[in-house]
């Protein structure tokens, strides 16, 4: 098998120990390692300008990013890495798009080591894709488990490419088990039964999760598979996140390598300052879930007003409480989500290209879907059309009813279960805190005014709108209220969204739901765990580095 290594740096020392001759060190220069072949050209030395690739979100890919796309299209197994902010995720999203259009959607399995990382690239967890449940059994048992599920068996047989993001969080034994399953099911002894592999991640970031200090947990590159599978390793060099700030990039690189000298330490200490606390407060990072919870709840307490707590609807066939609890903890969404007007929250699903998993926002109000539909219609109407709209609306209050739940004609078991759980979640809630109607009206319309400065209503129409609004609030006061959130989207615009519930589930190999949860796709976000922050571009951050600096 050909071995090529692009952009080798100190990081490779770590890999090298475990990969014998396969990864060649070339620490001084970022040039193509060409001992065995010169088939590929290093992006930095490329003489021929290649075609521009612009992603859906308008990013123009760099030469090094484009080279990886070319290598992937040519069918190579690739592991690509790079420090934080080098555009690994941006590249991966584009790669997935290109490979799907080349091979067809069903041929490309898009996975990641954790649910959050998977959500970032529109995929599933490796465990869920593979049909191995928790994957604790030995390889032989896992093969027979997967074999029993037609869906998973067929999936393994039919895919041509397997993408795994955040590979640093997968341990070597799981990777070797997956390799074994693929070989057996595909009756093919090539690595992963001949499936093309695209792995991405940074081994200097989070390691595999282990419950105790288990010394047997090894990193993915220590697996048997790694040695045999990868003929290309690429390290992205260009840091985009802190683009232009070469000094800061160099400080981060030293921290990443654990080589902080006195000068760098001084520079880090100089960053200790108050940040602007305008619309979004800096998110604080903590290592444990408990610390995150304490920090968020104490911020919530500072806000005035009542707490609106959303309790999830959980289902699934597993009855053993401990096992159930363990599985439910895999979901990002908490059992109880306490919120207040003014609370800082994070979206935990990808809604579209700008409102994504990781978008931060603030709660403006809690309103029901009827009030929201009315509010939207009013702020999107011209002053001149308001009177006729109000007339029609009062004649037929159903005019604006939002269709939130899925169509009942979708009748497979999972859809029905999801629909019933969502309906339960949305059922009238007479105990919910009631907001003063004048105050609510004022807050909604001042938010609208900030979003659409040109929006105007004559005093007379404003009175009419308010009267209908008050009646509507009174008539629907027991309807379930949802948080109306003003998000900062990834293109740095403000966007107002009424957040409705989502469904998460873990299935077994026969597609039976083991555990499921319906909850709002939000978490409190003044404080975040280091795990949840992995892979996200957070605009403002506060970190306690005392433990790490002298
Ligand atoms: N070619 C590019 N040109 C300009 N900006 C880019 C490019 N590629 C990525 N970016 C920007 O750089 C930032 C970091 O990108 P991305 O999240 O993909 O990096 P990453 O390597 O996955 O980081 P992490 O390891 O922290 O997850 C994002 O804001 C992204 O929009």
């Amino acid at each position: 098998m050909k071995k090529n290594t692009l952009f080798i740096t100190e990081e490779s020392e770590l890999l090298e120990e475990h990969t014998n001759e396969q990864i060649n060190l070339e620490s001084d220069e970022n040039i193509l390692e060409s001992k065995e072949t010169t088939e590929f050209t290093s992006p930095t030395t490329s003489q021929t300008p290649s075609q521009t690739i612009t992603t859906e979100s308008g990013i123009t890919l760099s030469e090094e990013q484009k080279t990886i796309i070319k290598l992937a299209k040519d069918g190579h197994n690739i592991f690509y890495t790079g420090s934080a902010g080098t555009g690994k995720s941006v590249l991966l999203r584009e790669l997935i798009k290109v490979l799907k259009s080349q091979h067809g959607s069903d041929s490309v399995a898009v996975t990641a080591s954790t649910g959050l990382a998977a959500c970032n690239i529109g995929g599933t967890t490796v465990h869920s894709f593979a049909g191995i449940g928790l994957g604790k059994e030995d390889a032989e048992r896992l093969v027979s488990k997967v074999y029993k599920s037609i869906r998973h068996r067929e999936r393994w047989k039919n895919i041509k490419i397997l993408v795994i993001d955040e590979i640093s969080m997968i341990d070597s034994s799981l990777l070797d088990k997956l390799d074994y399953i693929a070989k057996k099911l595909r009756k093919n002894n090539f690595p992963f039964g001949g499936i093309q592999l695209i792995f991405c991640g940074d081994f200097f970031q989070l390691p595999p999760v282990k419950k105790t200090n288990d010394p047997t947990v090894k990193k993915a590159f220590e697996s048997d598979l790694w040695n045999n599978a990868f003929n290309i390793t690429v390290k992205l060099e260009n840091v985009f996140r802190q683009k232009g700030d070469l000094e800061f990039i160099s400080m981060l690189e030293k921290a990443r390598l654990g080589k902080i000298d006195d000068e760098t330490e001084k520079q880090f200490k100089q960053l200790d300052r108050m940040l602007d606390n305008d619309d979004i407060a800096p998110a604080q990072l903590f290592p444990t879930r408990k610390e995150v919870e304490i920090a968020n709840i104490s911020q919530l307490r500072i806000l005035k007003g009542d707490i609106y707590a959303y309790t999830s609807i959980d289902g699934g066939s597993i009855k053993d409480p401990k096992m159930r609890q363990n599985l439910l903890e895999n979901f990002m969404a908490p059992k109880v989500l306490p919120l207040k007007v003014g609370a800082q929250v994070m979206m935990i699903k990808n809604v579209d290209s700008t409102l994504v998993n990781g978008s931060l926002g603030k709660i403006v109000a809690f309103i029901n879907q009827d009030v929201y539909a009315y509010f939207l219609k009013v702020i999107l109407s011209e002053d001149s059309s308001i009177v006729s709209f109000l007339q029609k609306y009062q004649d037929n209050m159903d005019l604006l009813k939002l269709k939130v739940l899925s169509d009942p004609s979708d009748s497979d078991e999972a859809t029905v279960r999801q629909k019933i759980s969502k309906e339960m979640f949305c059922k009238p809630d007479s105990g919910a805190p009631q907001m003063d109607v004048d105050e609510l009206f004022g807050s909604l319309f001042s938010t609208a005014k900030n979003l659409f400065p040109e929006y105007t209503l004559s005093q007379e129409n404003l009175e009419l709108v308010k009267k209908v609004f008050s009646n509507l609030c009174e008539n629907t006061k027991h309807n379930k209220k949802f948080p109306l959130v003003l998000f900062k989207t990834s293109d740095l615009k403000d966007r107002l969204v009424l957040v409705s519930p989502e469904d998460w589930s873990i299935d077994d190999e026969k597609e039976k739901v083991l555990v499921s949860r319906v909850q709002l796709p939000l978490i409190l976000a003044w404080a975040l765990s280091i795990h949840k922050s992995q892979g996200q571009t957070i605009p403002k951050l506060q970190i306690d580095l005392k433990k790490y600096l002298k």
Side-chain angles (χ1 to χ4, degrees), residues 481-515:
K481 295 185 182 68
F482 297 99
L484 183 66
V485 182
L486 187 60
F487 283 103
K488 257 291 170 247
T489 51
S490 56
D491 51 357
L492 296 180
K493 296 202 173 107
D494 288 324
R495 182 156 154 201
L496 201 56
V497 177
L498 187 72
V499 180
S500 48
E502 264 302 304
D503 174 89
W504 291 265
S505 64
I506 299 177
D507 303 355
D508 71 2
E509 66 274 15
K510 292 191 188 108
E511 294 173 44
K512 194 164 136 207
V513 177
L514 298 174
V515 284

Side-chain angles (χ1 to χ4, degrees), residues 47-208:
Q47 297 304 313
T48 43
S50 53
Q51 207 188 343
T52 304
I53 303 181
T54 306
T55 66
E56 268 168 19
S57 49
I59 294 172
T60 303
L61 294 190
S62 64
E63 288 300 316
E64 54 181 13
Q65 288 171 320
K66 281 192 294 185
T67 300
I68 296 176
I69 294 203
K70 160 106 180 51
L71 295 170
K73 278 171 81 178
D74 290 347
H76 295 278
N77 285 347
I78 302 170
F79 162 58
Y80 74 88
T81 182
S83 58
T86 47
K88 297 186 294 296
S89 307
V90 163
L91 171 60
L92 195 58
R93 284 193 279 269
E94 186 61 25
L95 251 177
I96 292 165
K97 204 180 90 193
V98 168
L99 293 174
K100 280 187 171 179
S101 78
Q102 186 183 5
H103 297 278
S105 280
D106 293 345
S107 300
V108 185
V110 177
T111 74
S113 49
T114 68
L116 179 63
C119 189
N120 270 330
I121 50 168
T124 55
T125 59
V126 178
H127 290 79
S128 159
F129 155 78
I132 55 170
L134 294 179
K136 300 281 180 223
E137 301 92 321
D138 64 35
E140 205 57 66
R141 278 205 190 154
L142 287 176
V143 170
S144 59
K145 186 171 184 172
V146 177
Y147 195 80
K148 283 184 206 142
S149 157
I150 299 173
R151 184 167 63 118
H152 290 104
R153 193 169 71 207
E154 289 305 305
R155 220 185 238 178
W156 272 112
K157 282 188 189 158
N158 295 335
I159 63 160
K160 292 187 184 143
I161 300 171
L162 173 65
V163 172
I164 307 185
D165 192 12
E166 300 289 3
I167 189 75
S168 66
M169 285 193 259
I170 299 247
D171 68 68
S172 72
S173 105
L174 177 64
L175 208 52
D176 282 333
K177 284 181 197 173
L178 292 171
D179 178 39
Y180 186 79
I181 294 169
K183 283 175 177 155
K184 287 279 170 188
L185 291 180
R186 294 167 69 91
K187 300 191 176 59
N188 177 334
N189 259 341
F190 279 101
F192 262 79
I195 297 170
Q196 183 188 352
L197 303 174
I198 309 284
F199 288 4
C200 163
D202 175 12
F203 284 104
F204 281 94
Q205 296 185 24
L206 290 173

Side-chain angles (χ1 to χ4, degrees), residues 288-520:
T288 67
R289 200 185 286 200
K290 197 82 217 146
E291 287 166 285
V292 171
E293 242 173 69
I294 293 171
N296 276 326
I297 293 296
S298 59
Q299 287 289 337
L300 196 67
R301 285 212 183 104
I302 297 171
L303 293 175
K304 281 192 265 151
D306 295 322
I307 285 188
Y308 198 151
Y310 291 86
T311 303
S312 66
I313 308 267
D314 298 340
S317 58
I318 290 194
K319 296 285 172 268
D320 177 66
K322 204 161 164 224
M323 197 169 181
R324 203 177 155 70
Q325 191 50 32
N326 278 342
L327 286 175
L328 283 168
E329 277 177 13
N330 282 313
F331 300 136
M332 282 280 289
K335 172 87 199 149
V336 179
L337 175 67
L339 299 175
K340 265 187 191 177
V341 169
Q344 182 159 306
V345 287
M346 182 189 272
M347 174 57 86
I348 54 168
K349 69 170 235 189
N350 286 322
V351 177
D352 52 36
S353 61
T354 60
L355 183 58
V356 293
N357 182 5
S359 297
L360 292 175
K362 253 189 187 172
I363 298 183
V364 173
F366 295 100
I367 55 176
N368 66 51
Q369 282 153 352
D370 293 337
V371 172
Y372 178 61
Y374 173 79
F375 165 69
L376 270 191
K377 180 68 191 174
V378 168
I379 58 167
L380 296 175
S381 296
E382 299 283 325
D383 194 32
S384 55
S385 60
I386 279 289
V387 174
S388 73
F389 158 66
L390 289 178
Q391 186 60 52
K392 269 196 244 153
Y393 180 65
Q394 279 172 312
D395 290 346
N396 176 12
M397 298 288 248
D398 284 343
L399 192 69
L400 294 175
K401 279 245 182 304
L402 289 180
K403 211 165 173 276
V404 194
L405 300 174
S406 54
D407 186 338
S409 59
D410 296 343
S411 55
D412 68 80
E413 203 183 314
T415 316
V416 171
R417 177 192 54 76
Q418 202 174 339
K419 182 173 169 287
I420 294 172
S421 306
K422 283 193 181 173
E423 276 174 354
M424 274 167 74
F425 192 92
C426 298
K427 76 179 191 310
D429 180 5
S430 52
Q434 299 293 337
M435 204 167 160
D436 176 79
V437 175
D438 285 343
E439 205 184 308
L440 179 61
F441 186 82
S443 135
L444 290 184
F445 280 84
S446 74
T447 306
K449 212 57 213 127
N450 286 337
L451 283 177
F452 309 103
E454 68 289 358
Y455 174 71
T456 48
L457 268 189
S458 67
Q459 190 56 35
E460 198 182 346
N461 283 347
L462 189 69
E463 290 304 322
L464 272 175
V465 165
K466 189 170 174 186
K467 197 163 153 241
V468 177
F469 180 85
S470 303
N471 288 341
L472 180 62
C473 286
E474 178 56 29
N475 294 339
T476 59
K477 70 177 177 202
H478 294 314
N479 288 10
K480 182 84 171 185
K481 295 185 182 68
F482 297 99
L484 183 66
V485 182
L486 187 60
F487 283 103
K488 257 291 170 247
T489 51
S490 56
D491 51 357
L492 296 180
K493 296 202 173 107
D494 288 324
R495 182 156 154 201
L496 201 56
V497 177
L498 187 72
V499 180
S500 48
E502 264 302 304
D503 174 89
W504 291 265
S505 64
I506 299 177
D507 303 355
D508 71 2
E509 66 274 15
K510 292 191 188 108
E511 294 173 44
K512 194 164 136 207
V513 177
L514 298 174
V515 284
S516 67
R517 169 161 288 174
V518 168
Q519 177 59 287
L520 296 175

